[in-house]
Amino acid sequence: LSQRGWSVASLEYRRVGNGGGWPVSRDDVVSGARAAAELANANHLVLIGHSAGGQLALEAARELGDQTTAVSMGGVNDMVMAVEEQLGDGAAVAYLGGADPEAACPTRNPPTGDTVIAHGTDDDRVPFTYAERYVEANPALLLATEGGDHFRFLEPRDPMWAGIVESLETQQ
């Protein structure tokens, strides 16, 4: 993205077991995004996250408002379903730390800005149903990659990533 002229910041957040969890991890992303926007003098943000980071991108975008585009790549977009299914060997339960999963659920509390849900149909870590459930309940662009797995998004030369970049440039 930086080679295409975008101002880019890579945000980190506290993880479960290191002071993180809900809502602390989300608040870390919101604070980092606000600081990055200020440094770049930007009035529109794009938050991109993968897996658990996809859930955080959606949640943070909701907090930041309609001038924020969220991209969830292979994201845990439905925390209620993640708790029910014990996704990630209970990682969602640990993240919530006893909080109501609906409060942290982007499917039930979506962002107000543009949203892109990108997911591989053969994702064995976060099943494709997480993407389907989100777009059935909320306005969003679904980029479904037939045969795509959970990690191909991380390679910038992969068609899954190229589709995301193309959708973002079309929206701008």
Side-chain angles (χ1 to χ4, degrees), residues 111-158:
T112 57
D114 292 333
T115 302
V116 177
I117 303 295
H119 218 107
T121 60
D122 288 349
D123 189 329
D124 62 351
R125 301 284 176 108
V126 180
F128 185 67
T129 54
Y130 284 76
E132 292 174 315
R133 196 157 180 178
Y134 187 92
V135 299
E136 287 169 2
N138 301 291
L141 172 64
L142 174 62
L143 298 177
T145 301
E146 190 66 38
D149 67 12
H150 190 66
F151 295 103
R152 284 178 45 194
F153 295 105
L154 304 178
E155 177 54 52
R157 289 176 181 77
D158 191 276

Side-chain angles (χ1 to χ4, degrees), residues 25 39 66 73 76 85 114 123 130 135 159 162 165:
S25 299
L39 285 171
D66 61 1
M73 304 184 309
V76 184
E85 295 181 349
D114 292 333
D123 189 329
Y130 284 76
V135 299
V165 173

Side-chain angles (χ1 to χ4, degrees), residues 17-84:
N18 193 28
W22 193 84
V24 173
S25 299
R26 180 212 50 211
D27 294 345
D28 287 348
V29 174
V30 170
S31 295
R34 283 187 175 134
E38 188 176 312
L39 285 171
N41 197 26
N43 58 9
H44 184 93
L45 298 173
V46 177
L47 300 180
I48 302 172
H50 174 255
S51 199
Q55 183 266 347
L56 285 171
L58 292 167
E59 266 210 293
R62 182 184 71 237
E63 296 296 315
L64 292 164
D66 61 1
Q67 291 300 306
T68 305
T69 297
V71 179
S72 175
M73 304 184 309
V76 184
N77 307 323
D78 192 315
M79 293 299 287
V80 174
M81 187 163 63
V83 167
E84 290 170 356

Side-chain angles (χ1 to χ4, degrees), residues 89-121:
D89 294 323
V93 172
Y95 171 71
L96 291 168
D100 180 357
E102 288 201 26
C105 185
T107 296
R108 297 174 189 211
N109 304 293
T112 57
D114 292 333
T115 302
V116 177
I117 303 295
H119 218 107
T121 60

